[in-house]
Amino acid sequence: MTPIANPRFAEHVRASFDRQSAMHLIRAVLPVVEHGRTEIHVPHWDGIEQQHGFVHGGVVGMIADSAAGYAAMSVVPESASVLTVEYKINLVAPTDGEKLVARGEVVRPGRTLIVTKAEVFAVKNSKETLCALMQQTIMVIHGKAEK
């Protein structure tokens, strides 16, 4: 991993997450913020289910995108932010469990583009089942403050 570009990265990542109303809407929390790695947890509740009772794939994509995006944000300078350019996700199992855990990680940091990945797990009876794999490209944004 690269040297730490922002010693206050965890504070900045958490502040950005707190401003993201979409994460509040789905009851997501950000319990892990490390250099190049984050985790987002979401309880399974009926407001995010699809017609079979599983968590909707769009919600799975949201938390994978945000977990990997915040992992990327943890490696950029304090004056920069990040924005998703693209991602590809494979939904490999139904999201059957009490909660979802999305683990985002930086694969290749860069000054302009950062490649990340995320894995999303359903947790049922303390057992994790892999539900989704995602690869993502992030663009580093300079000179544009977040709302």
Side-chain angles (χ1 to χ4, degrees), residues 103-114:
R103 294 189 178 109
E105 182 180 331
V106 172
V107 174
R108 185 192 176 277
R111 287 184 307 178
T112 306
L113 297 176
I114 300 171

Side-chain angles (χ1 to χ4, degrees), residues 43-45 53-55 94-100 122-125:
H44 185 149
W45 57 285
F54 302 121
V55 175
T95 52
D96 185 23
E98 296 94 33
K99 74 175 179 177
L100 297 183
V123 181
K124 186 173 186 176
N125 299 323

Side-chain angles (χ1 to χ4, degrees), residues 17-28:
F17 182 86
D18 288 343
R19 286 190 291 276
Q20 209 181 97
S21 55
M23 291 294 109
H24 294 289
L25 181 67
I26 63 169
R27 303 179 186 171

Side-chain angles (χ1 to χ4, degrees), residues 74-90:
S74 75
V75 302
V76 301
E78 185 172 350
S79 61
S81 189
V82 296
L83 190 64
T84 301
V85 174
E86 61 83 30
Y87 69 81
K88 185 336 184 172
I89 191 165
N90 290 95

